[in-house]
Short mmCIF file of all heavy atoms in Angstrom, two decimals:
data_model
loop_
_atom_site.label_atom_id
_atom_site.label_comp_id
_atom_site.label_asym_id
_atom_site.label_seq_id
_atom_site.Cartn_x
_atom_site.Cartn_y
_atom_site.Cartn_z
N HIS A 266 223.11 52.08 304.76
CA HIS A 266 224.57 51.96 304.79
C HIS A 266 225.11 52.14 306.21
O HIS A 266 226.18 51.62 306.55
CB HIS A 266 225.20 52.98 303.84
CG HIS A 266 226.50 52.54 303.28
ND1 HIS A 266 226.61 51.59 302.29
CD2 HIS A 266 227.76 52.90 303.59
CE1 HIS A 266 227.88 51.40 302.01
NE2 HIS A 266 228.61 52.17 302.79
N ASP A 267 224.38 52.87 307.07
CA ASP A 267 224.80 53.03 308.46
C ASP A 267 224.83 51.68 309.18
O ASP A 267 225.66 51.46 310.06
CB ASP A 267 223.88 53.99 309.21
CG ASP A 267 223.96 55.41 308.68
OD1 ASP A 267 225.02 55.79 308.13
OD2 ASP A 267 222.96 56.15 308.81
N LEU A 268 223.92 50.78 308.81
CA LEU A 268 223.93 49.44 309.41
C LEU A 268 225.18 48.68 309.00
O LEU A 268 225.75 47.94 309.80
CB LEU A 268 222.67 48.66 308.99
CG LEU A 268 221.35 49.22 309.47
CD1 LEU A 268 220.19 48.42 308.89
CD2 LEU A 268 221.29 49.25 310.99
N ARG A 269 225.61 48.87 307.78
CA ARG A 269 226.85 48.24 307.30
C ARG A 269 228.05 48.73 308.11
O ARG A 269 228.89 47.94 308.53
CB ARG A 269 227.01 48.56 305.81
CG ARG A 269 228.23 48.01 305.14
CD ARG A 269 228.20 48.45 303.67
NE ARG A 269 229.43 48.21 303.00
CZ ARG A 269 229.72 47.12 302.29
NH1 ARG A 269 228.84 46.15 302.21
NH2 ARG A 269 230.87 47.00 301.68
N HIS A 270 228.09 50.05 308.34
CA HIS A 270 229.18 50.62 309.14
C HIS A 270 229.14 50.08 310.56
O HIS A 270 230.17 49.72 311.13
CB HIS A 270 229.09 52.15 309.17
CG HIS A 270 229.42 52.80 307.88
ND1 HIS A 270 230.66 52.74 307.28
CD2 HIS A 270 228.66 53.55 307.04
CE1 HIS A 270 230.65 53.41 306.15
NE2 HIS A 270 229.44 53.91 305.98
N ALA A 271 227.95 50.03 311.15
CA ALA A 271 227.81 49.53 312.52
C ALA A 271 228.27 48.08 312.61
O ALA A 271 228.97 47.69 313.56
CB ALA A 271 226.37 49.67 313.00
N PHE A 272 227.89 47.27 311.63
CA PHE A 272 228.33 45.87 311.60
C PHE A 272 229.85 45.78 311.56
O PHE A 272 230.46 45.03 312.33
CB PHE A 272 227.73 45.13 310.40
CG PHE A 272 228.37 43.80 310.16
CD1 PHE A 272 228.03 42.70 310.92
CD2 PHE A 272 229.35 43.65 309.18
CE1 PHE A 272 228.65 41.47 310.72
CE2 PHE A 272 229.97 42.43 308.97
CZ PHE A 272 229.62 41.34 309.74
N ALA A 273 230.47 46.55 310.68
CA ALA A 273 231.93 46.49 310.53
C ALA A 273 232.64 46.88 311.82
O ALA A 273 233.59 46.21 312.23
CB ALA A 273 232.37 47.40 309.38
N ILE A 274 232.17 47.92 312.46
CA ILE A 274 232.80 48.37 313.70
C ILE A 274 232.61 47.33 314.80
O ILE A 274 233.55 47.00 315.54
CB ILE A 274 232.28 49.75 314.11
CG1 ILE A 274 232.78 50.79 313.10
CG2 ILE A 274 232.70 50.11 315.53
CD1 ILE A 274 232.10 52.14 313.20
N ARG A 275 231.40 46.77 314.91
CA ARG A 275 231.17 45.73 315.93
C ARG A 275 232.03 44.51 315.68
O ARG A 275 232.54 43.89 316.61
CB ARG A 275 229.70 45.33 315.96
CG ARG A 275 228.84 46.35 316.64
CD ARG A 275 227.41 45.89 316.66
NE ARG A 275 226.59 46.89 317.26
CZ ARG A 275 225.55 46.62 318.02
NH1 ARG A 275 225.22 45.38 318.27
NH2 ARG A 275 224.84 47.59 318.53
N TRP A 276 232.17 44.14 314.43
CA TRP A 276 233.02 42.99 314.06
C TRP A 276 234.44 43.21 314.57
O TRP A 276 235.02 42.34 315.21
CB TRP A 276 233.00 42.83 312.54
CG TRP A 276 233.97 41.81 312.01
CD1 TRP A 276 235.29 41.99 311.76
CD2 TRP A 276 233.69 40.46 311.66
NE1 TRP A 276 235.85 40.83 311.27
CE2 TRP A 276 234.89 39.89 311.20
CE3 TRP A 276 232.53 39.69 311.67
CZ2 TRP A 276 234.96 38.58 310.76
CZ3 TRP A 276 232.61 38.39 311.22
CH2 TRP A 276 233.81 37.83 310.79
N LEU A 277 234.98 44.38 314.28
CA LEU A 277 236.35 44.67 314.69
C LEU A 277 236.48 44.79 316.20
O LEU A 277 237.44 44.30 316.79
CB LEU A 277 236.85 45.94 314.00
CG LEU A 277 237.03 45.82 312.48
CD1 LEU A 277 237.33 47.19 311.88
CD2 LEU A 277 238.11 44.80 312.14
N LYS A 278 235.51 45.43 316.86
CA LYS A 278 235.55 45.57 318.32
C LYS A 278 235.49 44.21 319.01
O LYS A 278 236.02 44.05 320.10
CB LYS A 278 234.42 46.47 318.81
CG LYS A 278 234.69 47.95 318.58
CD LYS A 278 233.59 48.80 319.17
CE LYS A 278 233.93 50.26 319.10
NZ LYS A 278 234.89 50.69 320.10
N ALA A 279 234.86 43.24 318.36
CA ALA A 279 234.78 41.90 318.92
C ALA A 279 236.05 41.11 318.64
O ALA A 279 236.14 39.93 319.01
CB ALA A 279 233.56 41.16 318.35
N GLY A 280 237.03 41.74 317.99
CA GLY A 280 238.29 41.07 317.71
C GLY A 280 238.33 40.36 316.37
O GLY A 280 239.22 39.55 316.13
N GLY A 281 237.39 40.69 315.50
CA GLY A 281 237.34 40.04 314.19
C GLY A 281 238.51 40.43 313.30
O GLY A 281 239.10 41.50 313.46
N ASP A 282 238.81 39.57 312.39
CA ASP A 282 239.92 39.74 311.45
C ASP A 282 239.54 40.75 310.37
O ASP A 282 238.51 40.60 309.70
CB ASP A 282 240.24 38.38 310.83
CG ASP A 282 241.33 38.45 309.80
OD1 ASP A 282 242.38 39.04 310.07
OD2 ASP A 282 241.12 37.90 308.70
N ILE A 283 240.35 41.76 310.18
CA ILE A 283 240.05 42.81 309.21
C ILE A 283 240.06 42.27 307.78
O ILE A 283 239.31 42.77 306.93
CB ILE A 283 241.00 44.01 309.36
CG1 ILE A 283 240.46 45.21 308.57
CG2 ILE A 283 242.42 43.63 308.98
CD1 ILE A 283 241.11 46.52 308.89
N TYR A 284 240.84 41.25 307.51
CA TYR A 284 240.89 40.69 306.16
C TYR A 284 239.60 39.93 305.84
O TYR A 284 239.07 40.03 304.73
CB TYR A 284 242.12 39.81 305.97
CG TYR A 284 243.39 40.61 306.10
CD1 TYR A 284 244.12 40.63 307.29
CD2 TYR A 284 243.83 41.40 305.05
CE1 TYR A 284 245.26 41.41 307.41
CE2 TYR A 284 244.97 42.19 305.16
CZ TYR A 284 245.68 42.19 306.34
OH TYR A 284 246.79 42.96 306.47
N ARG A 285 239.09 39.18 306.81
CA ARG A 285 237.80 38.49 306.61
C ARG A 285 236.68 39.52 306.45
O ARG A 285 235.80 39.37 305.63
CB ARG A 285 237.48 37.57 307.78
CG ARG A 285 238.31 36.30 307.76
CD ARG A 285 237.92 35.34 308.86
NE ARG A 285 236.52 34.95 308.73
CZ ARG A 285 235.79 34.48 309.74
NH1 ARG A 285 236.30 34.36 310.94
NH2 ARG A 285 234.55 34.14 309.55
N LEU A 286 236.73 40.58 307.27
CA LEU A 286 235.72 41.63 307.17
C LEU A 286 235.77 42.28 305.80
O LEU A 286 234.73 42.50 305.17
CB LEU A 286 235.94 42.68 308.26
CG LEU A 286 235.02 43.90 308.21
CD1 LEU A 286 233.56 43.48 308.38
CD2 LEU A 286 235.43 44.91 309.26
N SER A 287 236.95 42.56 305.32
CA SER A 287 237.12 43.19 304.02
C SER A 287 236.47 42.35 302.92
O SER A 287 235.75 42.86 302.06
CB SER A 287 238.60 43.41 303.73
OG SER A 287 238.77 44.09 302.52
N ARG A 288 236.74 41.04 302.95
CA ARG A 288 236.13 40.13 301.96
C ARG A 288 234.61 40.10 302.13
O ARG A 288 233.88 40.12 301.14
CB ARG A 288 236.72 38.73 302.10
CG ARG A 288 238.14 38.62 301.58
CD ARG A 288 238.61 37.18 301.46
NE ARG A 288 238.43 36.40 302.68
CZ ARG A 288 239.31 36.32 303.68
NH1 ARG A 288 240.45 36.97 303.60
NH2 ARG A 288 239.08 35.57 304.74
N HIS A 289 234.14 40.05 303.37
CA HIS A 289 232.70 39.98 303.64
C HIS A 289 231.99 41.23 303.12
O HIS A 289 230.89 41.14 302.58
CB HIS A 289 232.47 39.81 305.15
CG HIS A 289 231.04 39.61 305.51
ND1 HIS A 289 230.37 38.45 305.22
CD2 HIS A 289 230.16 40.42 306.14
CE1 HIS A 289 229.13 38.55 305.65
NE2 HIS A 289 228.98 39.74 306.22
N LEU A 290 232.62 42.39 303.26
CA LEU A 290 232.02 43.64 302.79
C LEU A 290 232.18 43.83 301.28
O LEU A 290 231.58 44.73 300.70
CB LEU A 290 232.65 44.84 303.52
CG LEU A 290 232.37 44.92 305.02
CD1 LEU A 290 233.14 46.09 305.63
CD2 LEU A 290 230.89 45.03 305.32
N GLY A 291 232.99 42.97 300.65
CA GLY A 291 233.18 43.06 299.21
C GLY A 291 234.14 44.14 298.78
O GLY A 291 234.12 44.59 297.63
N HIS A 292 235.02 44.56 299.69
CA HIS A 292 236.02 45.57 299.34
C HIS A 292 237.11 44.95 298.47
O HIS A 292 237.53 43.82 298.72
CB HIS A 292 236.65 46.16 300.60
CG HIS A 292 235.70 46.99 301.41
ND1 HIS A 292 235.92 47.28 302.74
CD2 HIS A 292 234.53 47.59 301.09
CE1 HIS A 292 234.93 48.03 303.19
NE2 HIS A 292 234.06 48.22 302.22
N ILE A 293 237.55 45.68 297.49
CA ILE A 293 238.61 45.21 296.61
C ILE A 293 239.94 45.18 297.35
O ILE A 293 240.77 44.31 297.15
CB ILE A 293 238.70 46.09 295.34
CG1 ILE A 293 237.43 45.90 294.51
CG2 ILE A 293 239.93 45.76 294.51
CD1 ILE A 293 237.28 46.87 293.37
N SER A 294 240.14 46.17 298.21
CA SER A 294 241.39 46.29 298.96
C SER A 294 241.08 46.45 300.45
O SER A 294 240.10 47.10 300.82
CB SER A 294 242.16 47.52 298.48
OG SER A 294 243.22 47.83 299.37
#
Side-chain angles (χ1 to χ4, degrees):
H266 209 75
D267 294 333
L268 296 175
R269 179 180 169 94
H270 289 296
F272 167 79
I274 292 167
R275 284 181 182 216
W276 172 278
L277 293 172
K278 283 184 173 283
D282 177 49
I283 193 166
Y284 296 99
R285 285 184 60 202
L286 175 62
S287 184
R288 287 192 307 272
H289 185 71
L290 294 175
H292 292 160
I293 293 170
S294 167

